[in-house]
Amino acid sequence: MHKWLIYTAFGWLTLTGIAHFAIDVVSHHVRGVHPPGAQTTLLYYGLHSAYSLGQVALGALGLMVAARALPLLGTTPPLALALLAGLGWLAIAFVFAPYVPPRINAGVFCALVVAAWLTRPGSVAG
């Protein structure tokens, strides 16, 4: 169960990061939704690009580590770091995103990481 939760958590993060980038950055730029300017570039495109590409980077790294060294992701430090990153994305979504999907995506990732943490080999719950 732990293995599938790890792959699901990091796969979810990668998929939703790609979707967030495609919808909130590429789509808005192509359609010209926001007027050109320094504030739009920095506060809208910059924030959403960093948010989504950070998710893609951590998700892809997690999938790579899972494919090559799954027992490493059964230890506390990488899972704690992943949970901390998820909570950071959740905080950023609550502060800067006026809509719900990024909050749901980060919340689902956090829940999957906690579930993976509880089902890791040698844990009290697993």
Side-chain angles (χ1 to χ4, degrees), residues 21-67:
F21 186 76
I23 293 167
D24 276 346
V25 178
V26 175
S27 170
H28 284 215
H29 178 70
V30 168
R31 294 181 315 169
V33 173
H34 302 285
Q39 185 175 10
T40 299
T41 301
L42 179 64
L43 295 177
Y44 189 82
Y45 294 123
L47 178 69
H48 286 280
S49 295
Y51 184 89
S52 60
L53 296 178
Q55 287 182 334
V56 171
L58 184 69
L61 179 66
L63 288 173
M64 184 184 74
V65 170

Side-chain angles (χ1 to χ4, degrees), residues 3-122:
K3 172 184 172 183
W4 297 113
L5 286 169
I6 289 291
Y7 279 109
T8 303
F10 289 109
W12 173 263
L13 192 63
T14 305
L15 178 67
T16 59
I18 290 169
H20 185 108
F21 186 76
I23 293 167
D24 276 346
V25 178
V26 175
S27 170
H28 284 215
H29 178 70
V30 168
R31 294 181 315 169
V33 173
H34 302 285
Q39 185 175 10
T40 299
T41 301
L42 179 64
L43 295 177
Y44 189 82
Y45 294 123
L47 178 69
H48 286 280
S49 295
Y51 184 89
S52 60
L53 296 178
Q55 287 182 334
V56 171
L58 184 69
L61 179 66
L63 288 173
M64 184 184 74
V65 170
R68 296 183 181 264
L70 186 62
L72 178 65
L73 292 175
T75 61
T76 298
L79 292 173
L81 187 60
L83 184 60
L84 185 64
L87 292 173
W89 281 309
L90 198 56
I92 291 169
F94 271 100
V95 172
F96 294 107
Y99 38 90
V100 178
R103 299 172 188 175
I104 293 171
N105 293 338
V108 168
F109 174 71
C110 289
L112 287 168
V113 169
V114 168
W117 199 333
L118 294 175
T119 61
R120 71 187 191 274

